[in-house]
Amino acid sequence: MRGLTIRMPRGRRGRVTAGVGCLLTAVLIALLPLPAGADQAQAAAADDSSVTKSGAKGKYDDFSGLKVTVHQTEGLRGQGVRVTWTGGKPAPEKAQNFLQIMQCWGDDAQAGPSRTQCEYGADANAQPGGLRSVDPTTDPLETDHATVPGVGPYVPFRPVEGPETTSSRDFTYFTPGDTNALPWLPNDGNGGGEAVFEVKSSLESPHLGCGARTTSAKEIRPCWLVVVPRGEHETNGNSGSNLPLTTSALSQTNWNQRIVFRLGFEPVTDSCDPDKPERGIEGSELATDAITSWQSELCRTGTHRFTFTQSSELHGREVATAPSDTTGLGLTVDPVPAAAGGANVVQAPVAVSGLTVGFVWMYDHLEGGAYQKLPLKEVKLNQRLLAKVLTQSYPYSLAQPVDGIPEYLTGNPWSIGMDPEFQRINPGLEDLARVLNLSPLGLVVPSDNSDSARLMWEYILADRDAREFVEGKKDPWGMTVNPEYKDGVISDSLDFFPKADLTPTTLKCNGDGGTFDRTGQDVVPYATDFHEGALKIRRGDIGAAVECNTTNRVTKMTLLGRPASTEQRAFGVVDNASAVRYRLGTAALPNADGEYIKPNDASLLKAVAQMPGSDVAGVKATDPAKMKDGAYPLAAVVYAAASVDQAKDVRQDYADVIRYAAGKGQTPGTAKGQLPYGYAPLPTAMRQQAQQAADRLEKGVPNSPESPDADAPGPGDDLDGGGGGTTGGLDGGTDSGGLTGGDSAGAAAGGTDAGAGGAGTSPPGASETDPAKQNVAQSGGLTPSEVLGLIRWVLLGVLIAGGVAALAGPVMLRLSARRAAGGG
């Protein structure tokens, strides 16, 4: 046997090689990690509507190297759109080398809009070339304009409907406070830059008609975003390092250099048959953007039109337990408690979102020996810093330097940027500690009651340092809480943001004299709701008033007004959908691990997976203090809640709402009927839970005249109509909250760094993709990672089987040969 050699035919040796190769490949595939980003489902390519265009060589300045990108041009509504550019010249300290951006209407698909169709010129900050005035004596091409005696020539604005404006300062259609034009966007030290432009539909700007005007074929007519680059020469060719450019973007020579982008808006008109009867839905603002997106599709496929009333979650719960003739579906975050003697209430998860601190914060960044005005890209806030701003403990939210620090806040830093604690967790922002007006005045918050406010206080007070600060203990640097917030003003059950310090500061007014008492509510006023707060932050104008004026014996506070885009600094508590909509930066907040996390699909869904069950079976409870492993602490699930003791057709209609919300309504996108970016798609188990809840709602109260054939109640159903029970829709009354087994892991998938980037938003200027590209697929289908995983294991099995088969024949022959040799 020792000298026995078995020679295989060449084909057999090839099969052995192939078999070994298959097995080695199988091992390699098993060990190979999935490609980066495969665990995130990117939106369809059709949603990627970014467009890049180049400038051209002009009469005096050459813009041919300039490239401007508008990062979303389709599926638009009133929102923020990111604009970036490269290839220009660095801007000096004087007003040269900058962009001017405006929105226009116009029907000429080839030529785009005329300059009379553009919203521009309502500038109250004396920004370079920010008006509609033109001067034919300095622009030889300026020949077509209007003239007002004693005022001078100007380019009138011509709206979609109505007369054109009659002077350069005619603010009939838009004002310095609400215009979206950006007349002064200086290039950075590399000749590039970035900005967020607020595009408006006809709902916000009827004079532009975007999303409302249609062709004869009922197609939505386009609107336009126009970029006018400015170089170093005036319209007459004059130039010089000390010559600021002052001529309007609308002056013909400047206008001829424009770069035009077509904008496609979603229709704003209500396609729902106005003769259809109404069904009402009421409750949480966290669901507002989602519900308003779903409304038209719900109407199209149903027998009723559904109206939505945004209110507190408390009102939503009241609707669920005591429906009216017109409104029978409530939206809530906290569970609907069982009402003694009341009918059963079904609760179904319909949306995953959360709270965030959104910001627009321009910062003077030292670059190349010169200061550049750039947006902050990253901000971290911990619980104690949130407690400080929410308790008006920074004097800047109450007084101005000329007033001096209020005596009861002596020793506190003027602003959050000057706080050593803020500096410690946000290194590199030392200039904020030296210059007061580089920080926001204070934190914008809504005035209404909400489960969301309670969630914020629960998060803050779960942290010992923050809790002790609110109770009166100094922080390590000696800062103390505003004494107006001591003695139990703040608790973790508080469902609003109080402004407890009403101490007046008496001002001497400008104008005809007089005095006026100013309080903290004048300096940092309330926003009506999260959405309004986000819009105010995007514009950099929170409605602050720090001075007063007396005119004709009438004394009143004077609004600061909207600052230039390079001077905007505002932040506030907003919902994530609004932060994404207006492309606000979002602060990273620490979770239970001390890891600073931003809200995105992955971090929101990780939080949902970790939420404990509430007292109501199948309904999750928020517990921000326990979020860890990449989970975002201020995540929330919105539940649709309805009593089963309603008429059969009412139950059917509301059940259909739940089915749509948990089905097609979970498809992320910008079109009507889709899930707006800023929401995380429901995990599969929650979608199933919602479908079960809809089925139970449709069945109604067992053995009632309305549903005599309803199924008998299952374990834990408590549908006897008299037990006042509630259910989240899970069979068997389990308390899983809608996430079981592998779905929890699936919800947690979607990125290795939950702190990097927001849910479709990053601080302006961060390396980011558009909202349409940052949503993890948790809407019930397979994510790309799951698909690749399945393919990988199927391929692994095939390769192993092939390898075994390839080796089996030669091995068997070898064994038989050995037996033959031994028998000889």
Side-chain angles (χ1 to χ4, degrees):
M1 290 295 295
R2 181 182 295 266
L4 179 65
T5 300
I6 300 176
R7 297 188 182 277
M8 296 183 186
R10 185 179 302 275
R12 291 178 185 174
R13 290 199 300 270
R15 284 195 295 270
V16 171
T17 302
V20 173
C22 285
L23 291 176
L24 289 175
T25 303
V27 172
L28 178 62
I29 290 176
L31 297 176
L32 189 67
L34 290 174
D39 54 353
Q40 292 192 355
Q42 304 300 323
D47 288 335
D48 183 5
S49 58
S50 64
V51 174
T52 299
K53 292 189 175 184
S54 298
K57 181 176 174 56
K59 187 176 181 180
Y60 303 115
D61 291 292
D62 186 0
F63 301 110
S64 57
L66 177 68
K67 294 185 181 298
V68 181
T69 300
V70 178
H71 289 260
Q72 183 184 350
T73 60
E74 297 291 339
L76 297 169
R77 54 178 175 161
Q79 63 175 85
V81 171
R82 185 169 177 247
V83 180
T84 59
W85 64 96
T86 61
K89 293 182 178 181
E93 294 184 7
K94 298 295 182 179
Q96 296 179 354
N97 297 321
F98 58 96
L99 299 189
Q100 300 176 301
I101 305 180
M102 64 200 79
Q103 184 179 339
C104 315
W105 69 279
D107 298 332
D108 191 327
Q110 299 300 320
S114 74
R115 55 186 183 160
T116 63
Q117 296 172 309
C118 297
E119 178 173 324
Y120 188 84
D123 173 37
N125 293 290
Q127 298 177 83
L131 303 178
R132 300 189 74 91
S133 301
V134 293
D135 186 355
T137 65
T138 59
D139 186 351
L141 301 183
E142 183 55 60
T143 59
D144 185 14
H145 51 262
T147 301
V148 176
V151 176
Y154 70 101
V155 177
F157 172 71
R158 178 165 57 89
V160 170
E161 293 182 354
E164 65 182 30
T165 55
T166 58
S167 76
S168 62
R169 305 294 291 178
D170 184 343
F171 298 146
T172 300
Y173 301 105
F174 49 89
T175 71
D178 61 24
T179 184
N180 60 356
L182 298 178
W184 167 235
L185 295 170
N187 297 346
D188 62 24
N190 297 314
E194 55 191 277
V196 173
F197 184 82
E198 180 199 345
V199 296
K200 296 182 179 183
S201 73
S202 65
L203 297 178
E204 296 82 27
S205 291
H207 48 274
L208 294 176
C210 301
R213 299 181 304 113
T214 59
T215 66
S216 58
K218 304 300 181 183
E219 296 178 345
I220 299 295
R221 293 185 182 275
C223 278
W224 309 89
L225 186 144
V226 175
V227 177
V228 177
R230 305 297 297 274
E232 299 172 351
H233 295 80
E234 269 295 9
T235 53
N236 58 4
N238 288 346
S239 67
S241 59
N242 294 319
L243 178 66
L245 305 186
T246 60
T247 54
S248 171
L250 303 181
S251 191
Q252 193 64 58
T253 295
N254 298 327
W255 178 255
N256 288 349
Q257 297 300 129
R258 68 193 180 279
I259 306 171
V260 180
F261 296 83
R262 184 188 186 280
L263 301 179
F265 278 78
E266 286 294 301
V268 299
T269 53
D270 188 355
S271 58
C272 189
D273 183 354
D275 293 330
K276 282 188 176 182
E278 292 184 355
R279 296 260 192 252
I281 304 171
E282 182 173 351
S284 177
E285 184 185 356
L286 292 187
T288 295
D289 270 19
I291 293 292
T292 52
S293 174
W294 298 336
Q295 278 177 309
S296 59
E297 190 65 17
L298 288 169
C299 177
R300 187 185 68 82
T301 58
T303 60
H304 285 66
R305 55 189 296 136
F306 292 92
T307 60
F308 174 63
T309 302
Q310 177 183 297
S311 65
S312 71
E313 289 86 357
L314 176 61
H315 289 159
R317 292 189 286 272
E318 291 173 348
V319 165
T321 55
S324 67
D325 293 338
T326 59
T327 305
L329 186 68
L331 298 176
T332 180
V333 173
D334 289 348
V336 180
N344 184 76
V345 172
V346 168
Q347 300 178 67
V350 294
V352 174
S353 187
L355 286 189
T356 185
V357 176
F359 63 86
V360 172
W361 198 332
M362 298 301 294
Y363 179 67
D364 289 359
H365 176 67
L366 184 61
E367 183 176 308
Y371 279 99
Q372 302 287 332
K373 294 183 179 295
L374 301 175
L376 282 186
K377 300 178 180 181
E378 301 290 336
V379 171
K380 293 179 180 179
L381 299 173
N382 62 23
Q383 294 93 326
R384 185 161 55 195
L385 287 171
L386 289 171
K388 292 174 180 179
V389 291
L390 287 171
T391 57
Q392 299 175 286
S393 295
Y394 295 112
Y396 202 29
S397 65
L398 299 168
Q400 294 295 291
V402 67
D403 308 318
I405 291 182
E407 183 178 351
Y408 53 91
L409 295 180
T410 299
N412 285 4
W414 262 103
S415 67
I416 188 171
M418 292 181 165
D419 190 336
E421 183 167 20
F422 179 88
Q423 289 289 325
R424 178 177 61 84
I425 64 175
N426 292 279
L429 302 180
E430 293 81 7
D431 282 346
L432 295 181
R434 295 191 290 267
V435 184
L436 176 59
N437 64 3
L438 291 183
S439 295
L441 288 169
L443 196 70
V444 178
V445 294
S447 59
D448 54 358
N449 300 72
S450 68
D451 292 351
S452 302
R454 181 201 52 74
L455 173 62
M456 176 63 82
W457 288 120
E458 184 181 358
Y459 170 64
I460 291 172
L461 296 180
D463 177 75
R464 185 182 66 181
D465 291 340
R467 183 175 62 254
E468 290 179 346
F469 177 82
V470 170
E471 292 170 349
K473 182 179 178 180
K474 292 183 178 182
D475 78 356
W477 300 271
M479 182 173 176
T480 59
V481 69
N482 187 323
E484 297 293 335
Y485 288 84
K486 292 182 179 179
D487 303 324
V489 174
I490 304 301
S491 71
D492 58 8
S493 62
L494 193 65
D495 68 349
F496 68 101
F497 298 107
K499 290 186 180 290
D501 191 344
L502 299 177
T503 305
T505 299
T506 300
L507 306 176
K508 292 184 178 180
C509 300
N510 301 319
D512 298 338
T515 61
F516 202 86
D517 285 344
R518 182 192 63 212
T519 70
Q521 291 199 39
D522 295 309
V523 180
V524 186
Y526 278 115
T528 302
D529 54 24
F530 292 131
H531 177 270
E532 184 189 63
L535 182 56
K536 286 184 173 184
I537 293 166
R538 166 45 52 210
R539 295 176 176 177
D541 181 6
I542 65 172
V546 298
E547 296 180 346
C548 58
N549 188 73
T550 302
T551 304
N552 297 326
R553 298 183 180 179
V554 176
T555 301
K556 59 182 181 180
M557 294 298 297
T558 303
L559 297 177
L560 284 178
R562 188 172 180 173
S565 59
T566 54
E567 303 297 331
Q568 294 177 351
R569 299 174 185 92
F571 69 157
V573 178
V574 301
D575 66 297
N576 194 53
S578 294
V580 171
R581 178 172 181 169
Y582 291 106
R583 301 199 65 82
L584 305 181
T586 51
L589 306 178
N591 62 11
D593 292 332
E595 181 184 7
Y596 282 84
I597 305 294
K598 291 184 181 182
N600 57 30
D601 288 350
S603 64
L604 291 172
L605 291 171
K606 286 178 180 179
V608 172
Q610 296 175 27
M611 289 178 183
S614 69
D615 294 336
V616 176
V619 178
K620 291 278 192 176
T622 57
D623 195 351
K626 295 182 179 179
M627 299 297 103
K628 57 183 181 179
D629 298 328
Y632 181 67
L634 296 182
V637 179
V638 179
Y639 288 85
S643 170
V644 297
D645 190 15
Q646 300 186 76
K648 182 177 181 179
D649 61 329
V650 175
R651 296 196 313 272
Q652 173 69 62
D653 287 339
Y654 286 134
D656 288 344
V657 170
I658 293 172
R659 292 187 182 106
Y660 183 87
K664 293 182 179 180
Q666 292 301 310
T667 302
T670 59
K672 295 285 188 181
Q674 294 184 321
L675 186 70
Y677 297 112
Y679 293 95
L682 288 174
T684 303
M686 276 193 161
R687 295 182 62 175
Q688 295 170 347
Q689 175 189 356
Q691 299 294 343
Q692 292 176 15
D695 292 343
R696 295 188 179 189
L697 176 60
E698 186 173 350
K699 292 175 183 178
V701 179
N703 304 319
S704 74
E706 290 291 341
S707 54
D709 298 325
D711 295 339
D717 281 359
D718 191 19
L719 293 175
D720 62 2
T726 60
T727 175
L730 286 173
D731 288 333
T734 59
D735 195 20
S736 68
L739 284 173
T740 58
D743 210 45
S744 175
T752 58
D753 183 7
T761 185
S762 295
S767 56
E768 64 177 14
T769 56
D770 286 330
K773 292 186 175 183
Q774 293 189 341
N775 285 277
V776 181
Q778 298 295 340
S779 57
L782 295 175
T783 66
S785 61
E786 291 170 327
V787 173
L788 288 174
L790 289 174
I791 293 173
R792 175 167 64 178
W793 293 115
V794 169
L795 182 58
L796 177 63
V798 171
L799 289 170
I800 290 175
V804 171
L807 292 173
V811 170
M812 293 303 295
L813 286 173
R814 182 168 183 171
L815 290 176
S816 64
R818 285 181 175 179
R819 284 196 297 271

